[in-house]
Amino acid sequence: MLLAFDVGNTNIVLGVFEKRRLVQSWRLETDNNKSADEYGMVINQLFSYEHLDIHDVEDVIVSTVVPSVLFTIQHLSQKYFHRRAIVIGPGVKTGLFIKYDNPKQVGADRIVNAVAAYHKYGGPLIIIDFGTATTFCAVSDKAEYLGGTIAPGLKISSDALFEKTAKLPKVELEAPGSVVCRNTIQSMQAGLVYGHMGLVEFVVGKMKDELHAITGDKPITVVATGGLSSLINSGTDCIDHVDKMLTLEGLELIYEKNRRNRKNRNCDTNEETW
């Protein structure tokens, strides 16, 4: 079995693959203070609850945007699975041609999402990830990762309203059904949720214009992932597919591209490695 970690600023999503099929996934809170043993005990309990044997894990792959947690996950991998995990980063084959000015600055999760989306839906395409930040990524029909846009996520925006104002409360992130609201909570919900829907519609429209200038009139597929993707999709017309497991599936695809070269991985810089 393969154990895949997607470590975000807010949550760690982990999944178990057996014979290239995702058999189980879980979501944990990202905690910089947790030790490898604490995470190990939690994972052992999760496996046990789902009647999975932790000893069947043959390899580990990690995508992280939280450097402080990486050492902990590597320690966890070596202690509990006796493997040094593959970490998404420079030298790992992705199959994409990274056209970013500095490829090392691209978030690992953005590359992993692009790999999975291109494999499943082809190109050109736009991938939106509704995480701590909301990211938009553009991929051409030639498997070129062209770049994208980063905006504050819905939760960050909600927390900022609560923390930076004297009287505004914390609110649940849900659509109130109206923008002419008669109470403070629904007014905030409308501004947060519908405002984010407007952001998505505008950015996707602009990205499509720029992609058409590069790829011609080929249809552009828009794929959304992340915890709040269904909420935003419910009020927009620009998203073609909601794919919650996109990042985990991307990690499995990248693992398959790299597993044969585990011992002698080529770390020379080129457009197909990152």
Side-chain angles (χ1 to χ4, degrees):
M1 291 194 299
L2 171 69
L3 179 59
F5 287 86
D6 170 29
V7 183
N9 290 291
T10 305
N11 292 304
I12 297 175
V13 180
L14 55 153
V16 176
F17 290 86
E18 187 170 17
K19 296 180 180 179
R20 305 204 63 182
R21 183 177 67 90
L22 181 65
V23 295
Q24 193 55 251
S25 64
W26 304 275
R27 184 179 296 268
L28 308 175
E29 183 181 8
T30 302
D31 187 346
N32 292 315
N33 297 315
K34 261 194 174 70
S35 68
D37 289 329
E38 288 175 303
Y39 275 122
M41 290 300 99
V42 171
I43 292 170
N44 189 47
Q45 290 174 352
L46 293 173
F47 269 67
S48 178
Y49 182 79
E50 298 295 341
H51 306 291
L52 297 171
D53 189 344
I54 200 168
H55 297 100
D56 289 338
V57 173
E58 298 173 341
D59 220 336
V60 179
I61 188 167
V62 181
S63 166
T64 179
V65 295
V66 190
S68 59
V69 178
L70 179 57
F71 175 80
T72 302
I73 299 299
Q74 279 285 29
H75 186 200
L76 162 74
S77 178
Q78 291 178 317
K79 181 171 182 178
Y80 289 89
F81 306 108
H82 312 293
R83 297 290 289 177
R84 181 168 178 80
I86 296 176
V87 179
I88 306 301
V92 173
K93 291 183 179 181
T94 63
L96 296 178
F97 295 86
I98 312 300
K99 297 295 185 180
Y100 225 60
D101 289 342
N102 182 355
K104 294 180 180 180
Q105 292 181 347
V106 188
D109 54 339
R110 299 173 74 186
I111 297 298
V112 173
N113 286 340
V115 169
Y118 187 82
H119 174 80
K120 294 180 73 173
Y121 306 105
L125 57 89
I126 296 168
I127 307 112
I128 313 169
D129 189 347
F130 296 97
T132 306
T134 297
T135 60
F136 301 78
C137 299
V139 179
S140 76
D141 56 325
K142 298 177 181 178
E144 299 166 317
Y145 181 88
L146 302 173
T149 295
I150 303 173
L154 257 175
K155 189 173 185 304
I156 285 180
S157 300
S158 177
D159 289 346
L161 271 180
F162 171 69
E163 292 170 5
K164 300 299 182 182
T165 57
K167 291 187 175 182
L168 295 182
K170 271 198 170 185
V171 298
E172 294 291 330
L173 291 174
E174 58 184 39
S178 174
V179 292
V180 182
C181 302
R182 297 179 182 275
N183 61 68
T184 299
I185 289 177
Q186 289 187 339
S187 296
M188 292 174 66
Q189 290 172 328
L192 289 164
V193 175
Y194 297 137
H196 215 71
M197 290 176 181
L199 163 74
V200 169
E201 292 273 8
F202 183 84
V203 173
V204 167
K206 294 287 286 183
M207 289 186 80
K208 282 187 173 182
D209 290 342
E210 294 183 24
L211 267 175
H212 280 310
I214 297 170
T215 63
D217 294 329
K218 295 179 180 179
I220 298 168
T221 304
V222 180
V223 182
T225 191
L228 294 170
S229 52
S230 296
L231 173 62
I232 300 302
N233 180 55
S234 68
T236 63
D237 297 321
C238 65
I239 296 172
D240 299 307
H241 305 280
V242 172
D243 196 332
K244 294 288 185 70
M245 294 294 106
L246 195 68
T247 311
L248 289 180
E249 291 174 2
L251 284 169
E252 194 278 332
L253 287 166
I254 292 174
Y255 174 75
E256 287 298 318
K257 293 178 184 293
N258 290 271
R259 69 184 180 92
R260 293 180 182 176
N261 298 320
R262 283 286 273 144
K263 293 183 180 180
N264 298 303
R265 192 172 67 192
N266 177 15
C267 292
D268 294 337
T269 301
N270 63 59
E271 289 181 315
E272 289 191 343
T273 63
W274 172 72

